[in-house]
């Protein structure tokens, strides 16, 4: 039995489009109809522009009839997290601060997707300025997990995950600073890839923590993730931190790169706090790889215990600086009750930012302040080097690491929102990867007894996404987790 | 008790590049407000800086000209403070690793007289770093408007050691920096356009004391003479406070050049905490030996070296060189002309430039590069004069026409009929004989040995020649006839 159109993969849909069995307009109409049907329950979108999406789809069909199809993504509806700029579309970061902001320019990934013919559909909800792990910090209200509407989809890219899981897009982009793609992918039963820092241009991505942020895809399958990654990867002269490296054909490489791989199990990632059902599912996945002839070896990442502290110093320091530009002077929210310049700053920011954003700005300002810099920021940078070194040491013995993505499956909306520290613990398995700048992906590895998806994290070596995807693909080929869909 | 002042200067120089320091939009002055902007300059959400190599080239070149050590890595930091002229509310700058360290600026103090070279000394530099300029606020009655055209223009900050002691030294220091930057093609240093700006740190201490006194930072020194006057005023103010038994406080003061007064802006307690940290959006840039060598080759002769060479090589007086040197183009023009007309004519060339060329440039309000005058034409003019083919008075007219049209002097002379001397020497000889015949008294005096009596014959000859007689030829003809 084939899945309904809105649950099919890029690979399947592009074959139909290429064969003339489906037009981009038909597909887009179907996705928009699905969007309208689920949106009142899921709230994955901050906005979507139906007319714009349909006109992009019509242009795609016109290209195809003229024999000028741009490839697999031509005509495929792709949703973008509302932190990625599209000229003429709102760019809010799910913040009251930017509630009325319309971007006059395109992000580099936006241009790349447009060149690939993708139909850009919707501005996807997220935690405000990508700060959070549940999408509850959105100024426009939380997003629900399509597998259980009382639960969060994770975050910060919760809208990107929920829209895809609910069939309101064929693929989406999110951004990952401490796990913001992988954790929602795990909680929504999707493939989510956080590429190596520097593989994807950050130009046009609203900065949260510049040295950690990376754009990446959500997809139904590893193959789709490979297609999406191929479309957006590559050096960009507008981003000095983007790396000059050859971009392989990730999709083709899925078939050519075969194991067995040497896989490392970091012992620090299986301790207290790990949900037993999640732990069991990950153990089963490890057993699968072993059964395929992979050598499984326990490794140690001894500085893991410092990851959370290090992250919350570096990320908040950078955030406090990156968010200084939202001042009510040139664009964005400006208070209506200012009597002087200081009022403009203080009131605009007090009114425009939510609590979690304020918390991080205050923390970041503190750690950079005169007299505290050496003790916090400088020390955190040193620890960051040690954390990266831990991973590189492990890679002398193994090709990749296997861990759970999130210690727990999807949690209830409201369950952790009053306790920031409990929320921060959701990211303990994902944060180290950002600090080390490594690629990592989450892929579905089962369900809890109550039917919530569980995610497996594979962590790879710098700029070796092709190997990482092939490792994930080998698992996915014999496990049908992604053929199950939420019933809504 | 005798006190001495200690002065250190922080000089900002805008670097002349086509585009801004971290984006491709053009840099410039005098455009409609907010036209030199793009998403990066306006700090729109999601934008990123990318370094303009030309700006780094310029500052390294400046550092090499001033003898600085060039850091092997150019690293960027964010300097954070909120102000509407700063679009990101942080300025990309260099904090703990400036691109240029050490070095010095040679200065010349005023001489005993205008035509006497003053004492030269070297003022040590602490550092030079690169940063981005901010926008400009225009204040109106009830609101303020901000113009981001200037925001993101490459700016270098040159910081001196606290080693100057008088306002004159500070004045000479700033003048020398300006000349250096102009010579290097790094900046035009037009203070009216904000291309050169200066803040001064001033303190006083008892003579003999080695510790620095309480520092006052003086801001808004908007012209080179304000720098001199403002510093002199501040030194006087500090001496007066101490003389009255008062205590100086560490503060920032604003100098009002028109009123010649200053007022406190903020005290030390109100000082900013800039929360510097490395900019994660910019990768450090490695500056290798080959890069430095290439820039070293592009460094011109320094202005004081050139002045010493002009004096030695062309035997021109100091006064002429002090006119030529501040303007690299003018001094190059001088040398090019001297190459054509001969080093022996250097003084005459210097005079033409100092008097006539500068007058014409001033009247036309154009820089030398935009004028039509060429070294070849000036050399040709001087040669016409030397050959006696032109009189001084006529030459001035030829020069003016030459400046306006760019035509060769010979062509102008022919067109305007300014050639000296009749070509028919028979006519000149006749006038000479007539004049001698009409001046019996002068003839007698000359014959009796009074050499100057010869001049008495010349007036009527010139009159007959309507002023166009070549004086040299007249003189020769008279002597030949008188010797008959």
């Amino acid at each position: 039995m084939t899945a309904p159109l809105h649950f099919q993969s890029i690979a399947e849909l592009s074959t139909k489009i290429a064969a003339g069995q489906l037009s981009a307009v038909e597909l887009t109409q179907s996705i928009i109809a699905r969007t309208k049907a689920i949106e009142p329950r899921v709230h994955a979108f901050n906005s979507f522009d139906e007319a714009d999406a349909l006109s992009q789809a019509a242009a795609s069909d016109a290209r195809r009839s003229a024999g000028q199809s741009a490839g697999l993504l031509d005509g495929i509806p792709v949703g973008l997290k509302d932190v990625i700029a599209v000229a003429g579309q709102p760019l809010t970061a799910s913040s009251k601060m930017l509630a009325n902001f319309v971007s006059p320019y395109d992000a580099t990934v936006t241009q790349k997707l447009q060149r690939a013919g993708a139909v850009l559909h919707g501005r996807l909800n997220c935690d405000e300025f990508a700060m959070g792990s549940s999408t509850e910090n959105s100024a426009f209200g939380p997003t629900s997990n399509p597998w259980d509407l009382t639960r969060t989809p994770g975050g910060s890219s919760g809208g990107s995950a929920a829209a895809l899981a609910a069939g309101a897009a064929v693929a989406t982009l999110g951004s990952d600073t401490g796990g913001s793609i992988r954790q929602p992918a795990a909680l929504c039963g999707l493939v989510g890839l956080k590429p190596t820092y520097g593989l994807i241009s950050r130009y046009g991505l609203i900065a949260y923590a510049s040295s950690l942020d990376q754009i990446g895809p959500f997809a139904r399958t590893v193959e789709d993730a490979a297609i999406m990654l191929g479309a957006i990867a590559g050096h960009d002269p507008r981003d000095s931190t983007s790396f000059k490296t050859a971009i392989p054909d990730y999709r083709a490489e899925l078939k050519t790169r075969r194991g067995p791989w040497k896989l490392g199990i970091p012992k620090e990632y299986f301790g207290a706090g790990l949900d037993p059902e999640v732990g069991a599912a990950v153990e089963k996945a490890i057993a699968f790889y072993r059964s395929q002839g992979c050598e499984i070896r326990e490794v140690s990442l001894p500085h893991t215990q410092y990851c959370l502290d290090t992250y919350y110093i570096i990320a908040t320091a950078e955030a406090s600086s990156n968010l200084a530009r939202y001042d009510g002077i040139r664009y964005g929210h400006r208070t209506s009750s200012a009597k002087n310049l200081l009022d403009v700053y203080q009131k605009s920011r007090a009114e425009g930012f939510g609590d979690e954003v304020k918390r991080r700005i205050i923390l970041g300002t503190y750690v950079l302040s005169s007299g505290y810099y050496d003790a916090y920021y400088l020390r955190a940078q040193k620890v960051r080097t040690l954390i990266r070194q831990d991973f590189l040491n492990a890679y002398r013995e193994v090709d990749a690491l296997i861990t759970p993505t999130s210690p727990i499956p999807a949690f209830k909306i409201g369950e952790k929102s009053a306790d920031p520290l409990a929320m921060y613990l959701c990211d303990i398995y994902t944060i180290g990867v950002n600090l080390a700048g490594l690629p990592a992906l989450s892929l579905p590895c089962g369900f809890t007894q109550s039917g919530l998806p569980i995610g497996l994290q594979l962590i790879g070596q710098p700029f070796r996404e092709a190997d990482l995807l092939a490792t994930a693909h080998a698992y996915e080929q014999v496990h049908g987790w992604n053929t199950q869909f939420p019933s809504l | 008790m005798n006190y001495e002042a200690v002065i250190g200067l922080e000089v900002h120089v805008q670097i002349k590049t086509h585009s801004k320091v971290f984006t491709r939009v053009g840099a410039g002055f005098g455009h409609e407000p907010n036209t030199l902007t793009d998403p990066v300059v306006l700090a729109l959400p999601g934008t990123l800086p990318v370094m303009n190599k030309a700006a780094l080239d310029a500052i390294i070149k400046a550092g090499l000209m001033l003898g600085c050590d060039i850091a092997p890595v150019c690293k960027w930091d964010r300097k954070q403070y909120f102000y509407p002229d700063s679009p990101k509310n942080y300025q990309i700058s260099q904090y703990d690793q400036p691109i240029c360290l050490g070095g010095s600026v040679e200065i010349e103090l005023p001489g005993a007289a205008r035509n006497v070279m003053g004492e030269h000394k070297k003022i040590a530099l602490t550092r030079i770093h690169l940063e981005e300029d901010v926008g400009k606020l225009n204040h109106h009655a009830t609101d303020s408007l901000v113009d981001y055209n200037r925001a993101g223009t490459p700016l270098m900050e040159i910081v001196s050691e606290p080693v100057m002691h008088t306002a004159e030294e500070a004045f000479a220091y700033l003048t020398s920096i300006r000349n250096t930057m102009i010579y290097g093609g790094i900046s035009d240093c037009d203070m009216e356009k904000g291309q050169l700006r200066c803040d001064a740190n001033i303190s006083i201490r008892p003579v003999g004391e080695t510790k620095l006194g309480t520092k006052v930072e003086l801001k808004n020194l908007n012209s080179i003479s304000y720098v001199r006057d403002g510093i002199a005023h501040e030194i006087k103010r500090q001496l007066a406070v101490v003389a009255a038994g008062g205590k100086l406080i560490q503060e920032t003061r604003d100098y009002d050049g028109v009123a010649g007064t200053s007022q406190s802006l903020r005290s030390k307690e109100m000082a900013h905490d800039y929360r510097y940290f490395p900019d994660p959006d910019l990768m450090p840039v490695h500056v290798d030996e080959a890069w430095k060598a290439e820039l070293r080759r592009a460094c011109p002769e320094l202005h004081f070296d050139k002045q010493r060479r002009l004096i030695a090589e062309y035997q021109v007086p100091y006064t002429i060189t002090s006119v030529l040197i501040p303007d690299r183009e003018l001094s190059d023009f001088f040398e090019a002309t001297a190459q054509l007309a001969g080093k022996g004519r250097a003084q005459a060339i210097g005079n033409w430039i100092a008097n006539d060329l500068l007058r014409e440039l001033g009247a036309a309000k154009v820089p030398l590069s935009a004028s039509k005058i060429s070294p070849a034409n000036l050399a040709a003019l001087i040669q016409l004069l030397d050959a006696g083919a032109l009189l001084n008075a006529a030459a001035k007219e030829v020069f003016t026409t030459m400046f306006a049209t760019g035509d060769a002097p010979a062509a102008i002379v022919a067109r305007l009929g300014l050639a000296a001397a009749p070509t028919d020497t028979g006519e000149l000889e006749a006038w000479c004989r007539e004049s001698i015949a009409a001046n019996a008294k002068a003839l007698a005096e000359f014959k009796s040995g009074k050499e100057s009596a010869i001049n008495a014959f010349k007036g009527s000859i010139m009159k007959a020649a309507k002023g166009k007689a070549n004086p040299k030829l007249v003189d020769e003809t008279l002597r030949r006839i008188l010797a008959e």
Side-chain angles (χ1 to χ4, degrees), chain A residues 423-480:
Chain A
M423 191 73 89
Y424 296 171
L425 285 171
C426 293
D427 300 328
I428 54 170
Y429 301 145
T430 47
I431 269 177
V433 165
N434 298 80
L435 290 168
L438 301 170
L441 63 73
S442 180
L443 81 160
C445 71
F447 291 89
T448 62
Q449 287 195 337
S450 57
L452 296 173
I454 298 172
L456 171 76
Q457 178 173 233
L458 291 171
I459 305 171
Q461 300 178 48
F463 298 106
R464 291 178 59 179
E465 277 75 2
D467 291 302
L468 188 64
L469 288 161
T471 310
H473 191 60
Y475 174 88
E476 189 191 61
Q477 290 302 92
V478 293
H479 294 83

Side-chain angles (χ1 to χ4, degrees), chain A residues 10-11 13-15 17 64 69-76 116 227 251:
Chain A
I10 298 172
L13 293 166
S14 63
T15 307
I17 292 174
R64 201 172 306 274
S69 167
L72 291 174
L73 280 174
D74 205 338
I76 301 293
I227 294 168
R251 186 180 181 230

Side-chain angles (χ1 to χ4, degrees), chain B residues 249-252 264-272:
Chain B
I249 55 161
Q250 186 172 335
E251 61 181 337
T252 300
S264 186
L265 279 178
R266 58 178 172 265
S267 67
K268 185 190 176 187
E269 288 70 34
M270 295 285 286
H272 294 292

Side-chain angles (χ1 to χ4, degrees), chain B residues 167-199:
Chain B
E168 290 300 342
E169 281 186 347
F171 179 85
Y173 171 83
L174 206 58
T175 305
S176 181
I177 284 185
R178 185 174 66 181
N179 289 345
T180 306
M181 297 303 146
I182 290 171
Y183 268 55
I186 292 157
S187 173
D188 295 333
C189 288
D190 185 336
M191 284 189 98
E192 277 181 24
K193 294 180 181 170
Q195 293 165 348
L196 178 69
R197 283 168 261 160
C198 178
D199 300 330

